[in-house]
Amino acid sequence: MSSVGMTSNRPYLLRAMYDWISDNGLTPYILVDAAAPGVQVPPGSVKDGRVVLNVAARAVAKLELGMDKVSFLARFSGVSRIVEAPMHAILAIYAHENGQGMMFPAENASPQPPSADVAAAAAPAKKGHHLRVVK
């Protein structure tokens, strides 16, 4: 199956990781490229061009993990603000308590070919039974 014409898997992976982290009683944080187009965060929250956001249900309101962006209301220095991060700007999601989570590749990065170990494991065995296409 070709990846041509397929939608990004990032929103699906982000939602799955969010649920997994939350279901385990941990606090989901996202790492966002603050310089990416469409990112809307309080300027004081940015450090080294990135921002870490607590997206736990208890920390935010109106959380939307959409196909194109993550958006929610959060309080910064006592002031409620709208936060938006397009999917392409989200670099990672992880549990604050133990760091377990997932990093995301750049959206425009081409898929990496499998490593030699993976390719060798996927290669058919030299002897024994094997499947072949019959025309």
Side-chain angles (χ1 to χ4, degrees), residues 99-132:
Q100 289 191 30
M102 176 179 282
M103 299 274 306
F104 297 108
E107 280 281 293
N108 57 1
S110 59
Q112 296 296 315
S115 69
D117 292 339
V118 173
K126 297 292 183 210
K127 46 188 171 169
H129 300 291
H130 63 277
L131 299 175
R132 83 186 118 159

Side-chain angles (χ1 to χ4, degrees), residues 62-109:
K62 299 183 181 179
L63 176 65
E64 289 186 36
L65 301 175
M67 290 301 292
D68 298 325
K69 68 181 176 183
V70 170
S71 63
F72 55 89
L73 288 172
R75 296 183 78 76
F76 293 85
S77 303
V79 178
S80 187
R81 298 187 185 256
I82 295 172
V83 176
E84 289 188 355
M87 276 299 158
H88 65 83
I90 298 174
L91 305 173
I93 181 169
Y94 62 94
H96 173 69
E97 293 81 357
N98 62 16
Q100 289 191 30
M102 176 179 282
M103 299 274 306
F104 297 108
E107 280 281 293
N108 57 1

Side-chain angles (χ1 to χ4, degrees), residues 35-50:
V39 172
Q40 185 178 337
V41 295
S45 63
V46 178
K47 183 177 179 182
D48 297 326
R50 296 179 174 182

